[in-house]
Amino acid sequence: MASEEGAVLDAQQQRQSVEWFKYSKRVVLRSILCREDKGLGLVGERVVVGGWVKSRKEKAEKCPAEAQDETWCEALFSRMPLLRSIARILVGNDGAFVPRPAAGPAKSELVVAYLRINDGSCVANLQIVVDSSMSLLGQVMSIGTSILAKGVVEKIPSPGKYVVQLKVEKILHVGIVDIKKYPLAKTRLTLEFIRAYPHLRPRRTMVASVNRIRNVLSYATHMFFQNNGFLYVHMPIITTTDSRVCSKMFHVTTLFSKSDDMEKLIKTSDDEHINLEVVKAAIREKRNRIDELKRSDSNKEALIDAQRDLQKANELALQLEKQQKSAFVKIGEVDFSNDFFSCPAYLSFSMKLHLESYACALSSVYTFGPIFQADESQSPRHLAEMWMVEAELAFAELEDVMNCVEDLLKFICHSVLENCSDDMTFMSKYKDKNCINRLQSIGSSSFARITYAEAVEVLNQVKDQTFETKVDQGLSEEHESYLADKIYRRPVIIYEHPKEVKPFYVHVKDDGKTASTFDIIAPKAGVLVRGSQKEERIDMISKRIEELGLPQEQYDWYLDLRRHGTVKHSGFSLGFEKMIMFATGLDDIRDTIPFPRTHGSANT
């Protein structure tokens, strides 16, 4: 008796676990499909669900009421077309029984649509059953259509991958799709194709999975730092510190809107009333004039003059087209005193310098935001706008921060495995069969740690691989990837780089040649993390600024941190999109971010 009561209580608790979304009064599909019983505990529940149609099929079925009145003779004739033909000959139309026509559904049949919808909360789709008794059936059949419907959860008669479906009682909303114009109507589309539609591509299952994984990685990152005593600090996106020692930077300016050159580029001349469309119209008229002169066999001089005019008009049109396509204005020396900030300003390439100022007051801080780099690279691992996790720890040296970032990576990898199991299974099946094992290996083993000199030595011993650049010229992306992908097959920490290949602010070791720096190289992603102990000695950092020819006045505020209450401190930067590549196995970084910005491309 007690066991029966316990079973009833468990069933009631399962029923109560259905998740009604507070702000739209609908049930989230995850709460139906991702239960341990796959939704069986909700059979009989009346719910409202919404989503977008992923696939569809339809078939004719008998009306339940009329099916009960069907005689054995009607059933036989309806299933054997040959007997139906014989009956027409023998009985004729005046007979007691008139067999059903050979083609088309009978009046006693309903067209039933089986739609699989998804609301973005999970990988799984919910099958909903809609019949032709509902006037809106024809509007919800196209892939991509949105639907909000009310119905009863029921068990699928012949369960397979899914065991429950929704029998729709009422359609509350339909967002129709023009199937002729909808670019994602086909079921099999490549990631490269759907990049052209960044506003629609999250409707594809893989893109949705990647963004759910991205969400968990983001949340886990904040959780790690918050659980370990770090403070979250917002850093500026606009900076006046030119750090182009690392990368090209985007200028932030309003001068172009005031520039005479820009006015000439954008506007046509009011004095001459030159307009490209007017010139094109004139070209058409001149061509017609030439055709008339040729047909009328007029004097050759008039024909030659008309052809010259046409050539000049074509040249003018070509010049105007080039001006319209040009996105650049060539200007000489710029007086930035008239600019918005009264000095050169840039989109930030890194927030680590500003973050140091808060570490030197709050001890352990981190930030998480976008950074920008104007390199014209077409590498599948490069974005013009990407997100960066950056942390700075006061009173910490190089080994301390290496331990911190290793713990961070293990924590967020474990979070993905725990909270995105269905999405990771999907990515493993359709993108990279090793992605789950790769995340599991992070938590079960420590990272390989080698010095820069040891990495060079290891690569010099490789005989079965030809590198595009020689190892002695410095470690490149292909060298680093080879170490992680082929030799160690796990993340590799390379530390103590030559000071010449690292920025001015890193701590120089006592040998005067190497720096207290490290890079973490991950399989599939390449350089995942860059970190260093910062130079706290003002004489050393001033010397490095002078050696590199950097404008001393730009870094005077930065040197103040060494003048007033200096302390040893270390930090790191984690490329967030690189982390997503590592987790999912994606080959192109453009597929890891909702709206990718790359050289020559900034759709939407």
Side-chain angles (χ1 to χ4, degrees):
M1 186 68 179
S3 61
E4 292 180 1
E5 292 178 353
V8 171
L9 182 61
D10 290 342
Q12 290 176 345
Q13 290 174 342
Q14 283 188 329
R15 284 179 181 275
Q16 292 172 356
S17 67
V18 64
E19 182 182 345
W20 286 86
F21 190 66
K22 181 178 179 180
Y23 302 106
S24 66
K25 298 181 178 63
R26 65 181 174 89
V27 172
V28 179
L29 296 187
R30 177 184 64 248
S31 68
I32 298 176
L33 301 170
C34 297
R35 297 157 49 102
E36 290 185 6
D37 62 4
K38 297 185 178 180
L40 283 176
L42 301 175
V43 170
E45 289 286 313
R46 183 168 278 102
V47 297
V48 175
V49 299
W52 289 264
V53 176
K54 295 292 184 178
S55 65
R56 61 181 177 81
K57 64 178 180 178
E58 61 178 280
K59 65 179 181 178
E61 295 183 356
K62 292 184 181 297
C63 293
E66 294 187 18
Q68 294 175 0
D69 298 331
E70 184 181 56
T71 66
W72 68 268
C73 184
E74 290 172 331
L76 183 64
F77 278 117
S78 66
R79 289 164 174 76
M80 301 186 68
L82 179 60
L83 290 181
R84 185 187 301 120
S85 300
I86 295 172
R88 283 201 184 96
I89 297 172
L90 296 178
V91 180
N93 290 338
D94 295 329
F97 166 65
V98 180
R100 188 174 299 167
K107 293 181 179 180
S108 62
E109 288 183 343
L110 286 175
V111 175
V112 180
Y114 295 87
L115 310 175
R116 292 199 180 276
I117 66 169
N118 192 287
D119 66 355
S121 63
C122 60
V123 175
N125 301 320
L126 175 66
Q127 179 169 284
I128 66 173
V129 184
V130 189
D131 63 51
S132 54
S133 65
M134 299 182 188
S135 59
L136 295 176
L137 174 62
Q139 299 180 20
V140 299
M141 292 299 292
S142 300
I143 292 176
T145 301
S146 66
I147 182 173
L148 184 69
K150 181 179 181 179
V152 177
V153 178
E154 63 180 19
K155 184 178 179 180
I156 296 177
S158 301
K161 181 179 179 181
Y162 302 109
V163 298
V164 295
Q165 61 187 13
L166 185 78
K167 177 65 176 178
V168 174
E169 297 175 331
K170 185 178 181 180
I171 297 177
L172 304 176
H173 168 80
V174 171
I176 61 174
V177 163
D178 185 345
I179 197 65
K180 294 181 180 179
K181 297 181 179 180
Y182 185 56
L184 307 185
K186 295 182 179 179
T187 55
R188 294 184 179 274
L189 296 172
T190 65
L191 289 172
E192 182 178 7
F193 174 84
I194 62 177
R195 279 184 215 129
Y197 307 96
H199 55 300
L200 296 175
R201 68 175 187 163
R203 301 185 187 185
R204 305 302 294 188
T205 303
M206 182 168 292
V207 178
S209 284
V210 170
N211 279 276
R212 282 189 292 268
I213 293 169
R214 183 185 180 103
N215 169 67
V216 168
L217 283 170
S218 178
Y219 181 74
T221 297
H222 284 288
M223 186 182 296
F224 173 84
F225 285 120
Q226 293 294 326
N227 290 346
N228 285 281
F230 286 75
L231 293 178
Y232 180 35
V233 184
H234 295 158
M235 290 286 105
I237 291 175
I238 298 174
T239 178
T240 58
T241 303
D242 182 356
S243 60
R244 279 181 290 183
V245 289
C246 302
S247 177
K248 295 180 180 178
M249 300 179 73
F250 289 102
H251 281 269
V252 177
T253 180
T254 59
L255 288 178
F256 288 164
S257 61
K258 305 172 184 177
S259 168
D260 291 337
D261 290 334
M262 177 62 82
E263 294 293 331
K264 291 178 181 178
L265 182 65
I266 296 176
K267 294 169 52 180
T268 56
S269 170
D270 292 332
D271 295 332
E272 299 179 5
H273 301 287
I274 297 176
N275 182 280
L276 180 58
E277 294 303 320
V278 173
V279 173
K280 287 183 176 180
I283 289 174
R284 290 192 291 270
E285 292 180 3
K286 293 180 185 298
R287 285 174 177 168
N288 293 335
R289 175 61 177 162
I290 290 173
D291 291 339
E292 290 176 2
L293 291 172
K294 288 181 178 179
R295 286 195 299 269
S296 62
D297 197 22
S298 299
N299 62 67
K300 294 184 178 179
E301 291 183 1
L303 178 61
I304 292 173
D305 288 341
Q307 290 173 335
R308 286 175 179 170
D309 287 343
L310 177 62
Q311 182 178 356
K312 290 179 180 179
N314 283 329
E315 291 174 353
L316 179 58
L318 183 62
Q319 182 180 358
L320 290 173
E321 285 178 344
K322 287 181 178 180
Q323 286 180 345
Q324 286 190 358
K325 291 179 180 178
S326 174
F328 301 96
V329 179
K330 294 182 178 179
I331 56 177
E333 293 296 324
V334 178
D335 182 8
F336 284 102
S337 63
N338 295 320
D339 203 357
F340 188 88
F341 294 109
S342 300
C343 63
Y346 313 90
L347 291 179
S348 181
F349 170 75
S350 173
M351 302 176 189
K352 60 171 66 73
L353 299 188
H354 291 85
L355 196 61
E356 283 184 54
S357 63
Y358 274 74
C360 290
L362 305 179
S363 293
S364 299
V365 294
Y366 77 101
T367 192
F368 189 0
I371 59 100
F372 307 87
Q373 45 191 341
D375 294 330
E376 298 180 2
S377 172
Q378 296 295 338
S379 168
R381 296 180 178 178
H382 180 90
L383 288 169
E385 177 188 30
M386 58 194 302
W387 284 66
M388 192 74 72
V389 179
E390 298 188 272
E392 198 72 29
L393 295 76
F395 311 103
E397 299 187 29
L398 187 66
E399 187 173 356
D400 298 318
V401 78
M402 286 197 296
N403 293 336
C404 176
V405 73
E406 186 169 345
D407 287 346
L408 167 65
L409 293 177
K410 289 181 177 182
F411 181 84
I412 61 178
C413 287
H414 175 75
S415 294
V416 170
L417 291 171
E418 184 177 3
N419 298 290
C420 294
S421 57
D422 290 343
D423 290 302
M424 288 304 302
T425 299
F426 178 84
M427 297 303 297
S428 176
K429 182 177 180 180
Y430 293 103
K431 188 59 186 176
D432 181 2
K433 64 180 181 181
N434 296 318
C435 63
I436 294 178
N437 291 336
R438 194 163 52 245
L439 291 181
Q440 289 173 337
S441 68
I442 291 289
S444 61
S445 61
S446 60
F447 295 4
R449 296 191 183 191
I450 57 174
T451 65
Y452 183 93
E454 291 170 341
V456 170
E457 184 178 349
V458 169
L459 289 167
N460 279 329
Q461 294 175 0
V462 174
K463 304 300 181 184
D464 57 349
Q465 174 72 23
T466 302
F467 299 111
E468 292 183 7
T469 56
K470 294 182 179 180
V471 177
D472 294 339
Q473 295 177 357
L475 296 186
S476 64
E477 185 177 285
E478 63 170 335
H479 300 139
E480 294 166 337
S481 295
Y482 190 85
L483 286 168
D485 293 334
K486 302 297 183 182
I487 296 179
Y488 292 97
R489 299 183 182 275
R490 55 181 170 141
V492 180
I493 298 179
I494 302 175
Y495 62 100
E496 294 185 358
H497 295 72
K499 70 174 186 179
E500 290 78 15
V501 301
K502 289 297 179 179
F504 71 92
Y505 48 77
V506 300
H507 182 273
V508 177
K509 296 181 73 66
D510 293 339
D511 60 10
K513 298 179 180 179
T514 57
S516 297
T517 59
F518 72 93
D519 293 345
I520 297 183
I521 320 299
K524 294 291 291 187
V527 179
L528 193 61
V529 179
R530 295 190 190 278
S532 65
Q533 180 178 331
K534 304 304 188 294
E535 182 59 77
E536 78 280 3
R537 297 165 294 184
I538 190 169
D539 56 335
M540 290 295 295
I541 198 168
S542 298
K543 181 180 178 181
R544 290 285 289 146
I545 289 175
E546 185 178 350
E547 287 176 357
L548 294 172
L550 298 175
Q552 186 94 15
E553 64 278 3
Q554 280 193 15
Y555 298 98
D556 194 53
W557 69 269
Y558 187 65
L559 294 175
D560 265 357
L561 300 178
R562 279 74 184 168
R563 296 187 185 105
H564 310 304
T566 186
V567 62
K568 287 185 178 181
H569 55 286
S570 304
F572 64 87
S573 302
L574 164 64
F576 196 62
E577 282 73 29
K578 295 284 189 71
M579 184 66 221
I580 297 170
M581 289 182 73
F582 173 77
T584 61
L586 289 169
D587 300 310
D588 198 306
I589 198 170
R590 290 174 292 181
D591 299 321
T592 66
I593 192 169
F595 293 91
R597 274 77 173 96
T598 58
H599 176 60
S601 176
N603 293 339
T604 62

